[in-house]
Amino acid sequence: MIRLLLLADTHLGFDLPARPRVEKRRRGPDFFTNTRLALEPAIRGEVDLVVHGGDLLYRSKVPAGLVAMALEPLLEVAYAGVPVVLVPGNHERSVLPYPLLAAHERLHVLDHPHTVELFFNGTRVALGGFPCVRDGIRDVFADRLRATGVLGVDADLRLLCIHQTVEGARVKGYTFANGADVIPGRAIPEGFAAVLSGHIHRAQVLDRDLAGRAIAAPVVYPGSVERTSRAERDEAKGFMILEFEGDARCGGRLEKETFYELPARPMFDVTIDASGLGPETLSETIQRELEALPGDAVVQLRVEGELVPEAAEMIRAARLRAMHPETMTVDLRFRRAGR
């Protein structure tokens, strides 16, 4: 049995400015904390290998220092003796320092279509994959898959590692059905134990297409390690540990998947109609609303209406920070009446 830790969409660097203009609790450290928590089973030697499904970073152009910080957790896993396979996602594929990554023999980057071959107690494992295709994956998927050569590798366990959207993937209120950037379920060939993917931030396992037909290999999304938008406020965030049985005749089987939830910070929306409220009343109203929330909440505070001149002072950044604990993150959105 091969145990594999799958995480993705860590988006390291999110809300972590190099020169912050305002001193407040940033969300950036939360992404690093949860990434490290997700990798702890690998550090403890509880899994055989780690796959990062892409979007290690939060955008395509970041400072060199941030790249080094983002790579550090993966390097710790590699130095602990556990191989790491990284799929470049749409956010970081143009900036990862591949020569630096290649300097460690247990850190493998699928920076072009190819296959990584590993051996665990006599079990031959082949992980094929390619960097995220940003536009038109539907038309080129078969060619990119063929270019990896993975289906021609003699292996007991064969896995496809991508950072793409597959038919049937779900996000809040929407299911991806077709389109140029969606891989049809029927396009996934036999010969794989599973398809491991990032890009979709909601954890899920797809085993059928939207017509109800079985997909040749289950598609596993671990989801993101933290909430990157308010649309994800009700989603659990975490990582998966997958257990595979090798079988050279069919590429192996996924026997068990377990989702481990990470301590993602709770998100709340607070809306206050400030029309006609004096400064003290507005201040008390805001403070009362914030005090009712968890101390580590991420809050979007919407103040609406026509402010009296004196009350405008109450929603300045310094005033707001005095109304909530330092452990809370509050972003203000102000909208005047009629706008």
Side-chain angles (χ1 to χ4, degrees), residues 310-323:
E310 297 83 0
E313 183 67 25
M314 295 297 105
I315 60 172
R316 294 189 182 278
R319 288 276 192 172
L320 282 176
R321 287 196 297 275
M323 297 180 195

Side-chain angles (χ1 to χ4, degrees), residues 4-10 38 51-54 162-163 195-205 219-226 235-242 258-262:
L4 182 152
L5 189 154
L6 176 64
L7 77 164
D9 296 282
T10 48
V51 171
H52 190 300
I162 58 175
H163 185 89
V195 177
L196 312 180
S197 186
H199 199 41
I200 300 298
H201 288 192
R202 178 180 175 181
Q204 56 201 284
V205 179
V219 181
V220 185
Y221 288 100
S224 56
V225 299
E226 247 292 2
E235 294 178 359
K237 297 299 175 182
F239 63 98
M240 287 189 177
I241 291 183
L242 311 175
T258 305
F259 176 77
Y260 291 87
E261 188 170 352
L262 292 167

Side-chain angles (χ1 to χ4, degrees), residues 80-322:
V82 178
V84 177
V85 176
L86 172 62
V87 183
N90 53 298
H91 282 195
E92 78 280 337
R93 61 173 296 186
S94 61
V95 298
L96 279 176
Y98 299 122
L100 175 61
L101 286 166
H104 198 290
E105 62 180 5
R106 284 187 291 273
L107 195 48
H108 309 274
V109 183
L110 297 172
D111 57 333
H112 64 281
H114 69 283
T115 296
V116 175
E117 297 183 59
L118 302 171
F119 298 88
F120 302 98
N121 297 322
T123 300
R124 302 162 299 175
V125 179
L127 301 100
F130 50 85
C132 175
V133 176
R134 296 174 180 174
D135 300 299
I137 182 61
R138 189 183 192 92
D139 292 335
V140 302
F141 174 67
D143 288 339
R144 296 296 169 93
L145 174 58
R146 190 178 304 112
T148 68
V150 63
L151 288 173
V153 174
D154 190 15
D156 302 298
L157 178 62
R158 199 178 291 112
L159 302 167
L160 177 60
C161 304
I162 58 175
H163 185 89
Q164 306 288 165
T165 302
V166 177
E167 174 190 356
R170 301 177 304 280
V171 295
K172 184 177 181 180
Y174 188 80
T175 299
F176 291 92
N178 51 46
D181 297 327
V182 179
I183 298 172
R186 64 182 181 276
I188 297 171
E190 295 182 350
F192 293 105
V195 177
L196 312 180
S197 186
H199 199 41
I200 300 298
H201 288 192
R202 178 180 175 181
Q204 56 201 284
V205 179
L206 312 178
D207 56 11
R208 294 189 175 273
D209 65 17
L210 294 179
R213 297 169 298 209
I215 299 176
V219 181
V220 185
Y221 288 100
S224 56
V225 299
E226 247 292 2
R227 297 177 176 119
T228 61
S229 73
R230 310 199 73 73
E232 301 171 26
R233 58 186 294 177
D234 298 323
E235 294 178 359
K237 297 299 175 182
F239 63 98
M240 287 189 177
I241 291 183
L242 311 175
E243 297 182 16
F244 294 97
E245 186 71 40
D247 187 336
R249 296 168 298 177
C250 62
R253 290 176 296 275
L254 174 61
E255 298 288 347
K256 182 180 180 181
E257 70 271 355
T258 305
F259 176 77
Y260 291 87
E261 188 170 352
L262 292 167
R265 291 174 62 191
M267 285 183 163
F268 296 90
D269 292 329
V270 174
T271 301
I272 295 174
D273 184 356
S275 300
L277 298 183
E280 290 187 7
T281 304
L282 178 58
S283 177
E284 291 171 358
T285 301
I286 293 174
Q287 192 159 2
R288 183 172 62 250
E289 292 282 353
L290 296 180
E291 286 178 349
L293 302 178
D296 64 342
V298 177
V299 184
Q300 185 173 96
L301 174 63
R302 296 189 182 95
V303 177
E304 302 177 345
E306 204 63 51
L307 288 177
V308 300
E310 297 83 0
E313 183 67 25
M314 295 297 105
I315 60 172
R316 294 189 182 278
R319 288 276 192 172
L320 282 176
R321 287 196 297 275

Side-chain angles (χ1 to χ4, degrees), residues 24-99:
K24 64 174 184 178
R25 180 174 182 184
R26 299 282 178 178
R27 298 199 58 218
D30 304 331
F31 288 78
F32 275 92
T33 296
N34 277 2
T35 297
R36 290 187 176 278
L37 287 174
L39 293 171
E40 281 187 356
I43 297 293
R44 294 194 297 263
E46 297 171 3
V47 298
D48 297 296
L49 73 155
V50 169
V51 171
H52 190 300
D55 278 0
L56 174 70
L57 300 167
Y58 81 113
R59 66 179 185 182
S60 60
K61 295 181 180 179
V62 298
L66 177 58
V67 176
M69 289 172 59
L71 294 176
E72 186 176 339
L74 299 182
L75 286 169
E76 287 182 15
V77 173
Y79 279 115
V82 178
V84 177
V85 176
L86 172 62
V87 183
N90 53 298
H91 282 195
E92 78 280 337
R93 61 173 296 186
S94 61
V95 298
L96 279 176
Y98 299 122

